[in-house]
Amino acid sequence: MKDTIRQLIQQALARLTTAGVLPQGLSPAIQVENSRDKTHGDFASNIAMMLAKPAGLKPRELAEQLIAALPADPQISKVEIAGPGFLNFYQDQQGLAQRLDAALADAQLNVRKAGPAQRVVVDLSSPNLAKEMHVGHLRSTIIGDGVARVLEFLGDTVIRQNHVGDWGTQFGMLLAYMEENPSAADSELSDLEQFYRASKKRFDDSPEFAERARELVVALQANDADCLRLWNRFNEISLSHCQHAYDRLGAKLSPADVKGESAYNDQLADIVHALGSKGLLSESNGAQCVFIDEFKNAEGNPLPVIVQKAGGGYLYATTDLAAMRYRSEQLKADRALYFVDQRQALHFQMAFEVARRAGFVHPGMQLEHMGFGTMNGADGRPFKTRDGGTVKLIDLLDEAEERAYSLVKAKNPELDDAELRKIGHVVGIGAVKYADLSKHRSSDYSFNFEQMLSFEGNTAPYLLYAYTRVASVFRKLERSMDGSLDGQIRLEATQEIDLASKLAQFTEVLNNVADKGTPHILCTYLYELAGLFSSFYEHCPILTAADAATQQSRLRLAALSGRTLQQGLELLGLQTLERM
Ligand code: ARG
């Protein structure tokens, strides 16, 4: 709807330019907002205030001229001037009802992408395989998966890339330990954290061991067959742990999405070479660097992106440059989104800039770091176990499911245990994911079981419960929530109109999530939708409606609410339940 209004304003501006009211060559960003107070219309724009000056008119005068120049549109019933010169648009309720009827009949709920479909690389999860995946990787996995799902739903081609850390000096230590304890691979590796600690201890305690670890790094880099075998075995086990976590979380990630750092090894020399031939390299203390003037340290000196160490080794940035080139040239991406800790912001800004200057990505390719904050404990401090260790993802999910199970059991003691377990799973995992998704990704976030499992507020249990309320209406009537329902939507009560306006925003909300990579926008939307549904449900009886046409209309609104909630939750990666 906002897009429609923007287009109407655009046309009015063009008319006024032709008529000489506005000067040539203006291309303002036309802003259209949802009105808070519906008695002043549904949408408002400040365009007349923005352009009054160049037009040499008072804002209200320009607003009048704009209204006269606006083309008629069946979706808009009237436009008024308000305050200093706002344009207030009233949406035509019949048009709104018709659009919702059409959405109900459409499997895609009439959601369309605002721009052309794109090929989008989503870089997500990307844990380091040397250690067990921990809570820090939760955010990248969950948020990245949520955005990827929204992009797919809008019709983009999404290529998930799990850029796992499967290379580097720490592997020497791990391989040395595997070599020393041949049986460890099968027993101790089931607990990677343990394995890592044991090898680190050997490395610190024994100079011979440390020496062997260094030899193994060299051998690994020289593609020594025995070494590669051990390394492969290690990564296989570590990746299977990750896959187990993805499955448990319901994240759409598979082994086919893994394209680890090592996959770019054979291109790193060429990356450095290419940078050299473009004249972008300088040597600094024996290391090969690209200096970019825009990035300076505290003393005002340009910061380097180091691409090759004095000893010849390559770095994290070198691999990222190779990955960008691959994503542009081989994957033909229009856009690449990096769901990585906010603390890597500078790394990405600089690496993106180097890739552009070197021509590693095509000029139109969008490169975006979708940074996220740190996950803290309920006390606001970095998330740790009681004894200070890192919290394992799997332990966390176990606890979430167990707590959800107990909560639901206390509420519904009559349900059998198998169903309670199923509900516990959906609610527990959903709560963990939703808590993360519902905050703006760039802020730090406190992990708090009580809060995320509460049935009140913007939480998974609240939304899942809201969905079951809709589902129960349809279960009682033995109807399904789709276009096979009779009748048409008619908007009469304010609760119906408010719910309908919210439902009509679904497309816009999803487009926003896709543009900004911020699933919390969808969470807020679903939470508001659930609230509006709840008032509608209280004030506009369905089963006891006065007449058949009213009942049909309300059922259709309820169906579209249920479908939108269900679809929205699915896009966030949450399952829904028919009852709980
Ligand atoms: N493995 C890295 C880490 O855990 C994240 C990699 C993110 N992706 C990338 N293309 N750099 O810090």
Side-chain angles (χ1 to χ4, degrees):
M1 194 64 196
K2 284 186 195 164
D3 277 334
T4 310
I5 295 177
R6 260 181 229 114
Q7 281 159 20
L8 294 173
I9 296 178
Q10 191 74 58
Q11 290 177 42
L13 293 177
R15 286 183 187 174
L16 293 186
T17 310
T18 315
V21 176
L22 287 171
Q24 297 281 343
L26 291 179
S27 53
I30 302 173
Q31 307 215 8
V32 177
E33 303 297 337
N34 294 308
S35 307
R36 260 171 243 276
D37 177 358
K38 294 271 184 248
T39 54
H40 297 294
D42 301 291
F43 303 95
S45 175
N46 63 353
I47 189 73
M49 285 130 90
M50 274 176 65
L51 296 185
K53 212 175 198 161
L57 291 170
K58 297 213 176 82
R60 288 187 67 100
E61 286 168 6
L62 178 59
E64 248 168 61
Q65 301 233 26
L66 274 166
I67 290 182
L70 275 173
D73 187 282
Q75 297 182 47
I76 303 292
S77 61
K78 67 174 171 179
V79 188
E80 284 177 356
I81 306 176
F86 282 107
L87 293 182
N88 284 354
F89 292 82
Y90 292 75
Q91 137 167 292
D92 181 74
Q93 272 156 24
Q94 215 174 335
L96 173 61
Q98 278 165 7
R99 273 185 294 140
L100 297 185
D101 276 325
L104 187 61
D106 180 22
Q108 178 84 10
L109 299 171
N110 263 357
V111 169
R112 301 282 178 271
K113 193 178 178 197
Q118 290 181 305
R119 286 176 70 81
V120 188
V121 164
V122 174
D123 185 310
L124 77 169
S125 195
S126 309
N128 293 327
L129 295 188
K131 293 188 179 187
E132 177 121 4
M133 191 167 166
H134 63 85
V135 292
H137 299 114
L138 195 65
R139 301 206 78 187
S140 175
T141 308
I142 294 175
I143 302 173
D145 184 41
V147 174
R149 285 170 188 249
V150 170
L151 292 167
E152 279 164 340
F153 189 64
L154 289 172
D156 283 343
T157 303
V158 173
I159 308 157
R160 289 171 166 76
Q161 295 279 281
N162 193 354
H163 190 88
V164 298
D166 59 357
W167 199 254
T169 45
Q170 72 231 56
F171 280 90
M173 176 181 97
L174 300 169
L175 299 191
Y177 193 75
M178 275 172 98
E179 191 180 61
E180 205 176 68
N181 309 274
S183 61
D186 302 309
S187 53
E188 288 179 45
L189 262 181
S190 63
D191 187 339
L192 278 179
E193 209 51 46
Q194 178 64 31
F195 187 87
Y196 186 90
R197 252 183 276 139
S199 359
K200 180 86 172 64
K201 184 160 175 6
R202 282 287 291 141
F203 188 88
D204 294 338
D205 293 351
S206 153
E208 295 80 44
F209 183 91
E211 182 48 35
R212 181 62 188 146
R214 278 186 280 273
E215 277 167 25
L216 283 172
V217 175
V218 176
L220 183 63
Q221 281 166 348
N223 292 330
D224 173 86
D226 280 339
C227 218
L228 280 176
R229 201 175 34 76
L230 279 182
W231 173 76
N232 269 320
R233 175 94 188 101
F234 182 90
N235 285 337
E236 233 169 64
I237 298 174
S238 183
L239 273 172
S240 74
H241 290 208
C242 297
Q243 191 57 47
H244 182 63
Y246 301 147
D247 294 344
R248 190 86 194 266
L249 277 172
K252 276 209 228 164
L253 268 171
S254 80
D257 302 316
V258 174
K259 178 98 180 164
E261 294 183 10
S262 67
Y264 302 98
N265 284 348
D266 59 0
Q267 297 155 40
L268 302 180
D270 186 55
I271 287 288
V272 176
H273 178 75
L275 290 167
S277 49
K278 305 239 169 194
L280 292 167
L281 281 186
S282 345
E283 202 182 299
S284 170
N285 298 326
Q288 296 298 322
C289 307
V290 183
F291 283 94
I292 315 174
D293 290 341
E294 291 96 304
F295 297 97
K296 297 200 164 63
N297 63 13
E299 286 81 48
N301 299 317
L303 286 171
V305 175
I306 308 174
V307 291
Q308 191 170 22
K309 289 190 265 193
Y314 301 104
L315 296 102
Y316 184 55
T318 328
T319 307
D320 257 325
L321 290 171
M324 279 184 244
R325 187 169 72 172
Y326 169 76
R327 291 166 185 189
S328 174
E329 289 179 4
Q330 309 293 318
L331 300 180
K332 310 246 178 281
D334 301 304
R335 198 178 173 204
L337 310 181
Y338 291 79
F339 289 88
V340 187
D341 195 314
Q342 191 66 43
R343 286 171 290 192
Q344 294 190 30
L346 187 61
H347 159 76
F348 283 109
Q349 280 170 29
M350 295 180 72
F352 292 166
E353 185 55 33
V354 173
R356 292 215 183 279
R357 292 197 185 181
F360 290 152
V361 295
H362 63 87
M365 181 162 161
Q366 296 163 256
L367 297 165
E368 295 162 68
H369 174 214
M370 303 291 183
F372 51 81
T374 311
M375 176 136 139
N376 292 326
D379 57 1
R381 309 246 295 277
F383 206 77
K384 293 275 179 224
T385 53
R386 227 159 268 170
D387 57 8
T390 42
V391 180
K392 280 208 253 162
L393 192 57
I394 292 296
D395 294 344
L396 194 95
L397 299 182
D398 283 343
E399 184 169 351
E401 290 197 25
E402 201 53 45
R403 283 179 181 242
Y405 165 84
S406 312
L407 272 176
V408 179
K409 188 172 177 169
K411 275 188 196 271
N412 309 283
E414 77 287 355
L415 292 180
D416 69 63
D417 207 59
E419 180 160 11
L420 283 172
R421 284 284 164 204
K422 162 104 184 44
I423 301 176
H425 168 71
V426 173
V427 175
I429 301 290
V432 170
K433 295 178 80 171
Y434 192 85
D436 194 337
L437 290 160
S438 57
K439 319 281 182 320
H440 194 300
R441 62 173 159 71
S442 62
S443 37
D444 288 352
Y445 136 69
S446 303
F447 189 95
N448 184 330
F449 274 124
E450 267 105 60
Q451 235 167 46
M452 68 179 69
L453 284 166
S454 163
F455 277 76
E456 273 149 52
N458 188 6
T459 65
Y462 173 79
L463 285 174
L464 292 173
Y465 181 68
Y467 176 76
T468 62
R469 281 176 81 190
V470 189
S472 80
V473 174
F474 287 84
R475 203 171 38 247
K476 272 184 213 134
L477 292 170
E478 296 180 4
R479 299 299 305 260
S480 59
M481 296 184 206
D482 59 25
S484 70
L485 292 166
D486 306 317
Q488 330 183 307
I489 293 176
R490 298 182 321 186
L491 301 175
E492 281 152 9
T494 40
Q495 289 83 4
E496 290 172 325
I497 297 169
D498 291 346
L499 177 62
S501 312
K502 189 53 80 182
L503 285 167
Q505 291 166 18
F506 194 40
T507 266
E508 178 195 326
V509 166
L510 294 182
N511 273 287
N512 247 324
V513 174
D515 280 353
K516 305 196 183 100
T518 45
H520 77 278
I521 297 176
L522 175 55
C523 297
T524 309
Y525 171 78
L526 294 176
Y527 177 56
E528 288 170 358
L529 178 64
L532 290 171
F533 176 78
S534 180
S535 340
F536 156 80
Y537 191 65
E538 269 164 44
H539 291 93
C540 307
I542 299 178
L543 302 177
T544 58
D547 54 77
T550 306
Q551 181 174 65
Q552 286 165 352
S553 165
R554 290 178 180 170
L555 256 186
R556 291 185 140 251
L557 273 174
L560 192 57
S561 305
R563 291 256 304 280
T564 306
L565 278 174
Q566 195 275 330
Q567 183 64 62
L569 288 167
E570 186 185 313
L571 292 175
L572 294 168
L574 268 71
Q575 286 176 270
T576 41
L577 295 159
E578 294 303 306
R579 54 178 187 169
M580 67 189 267

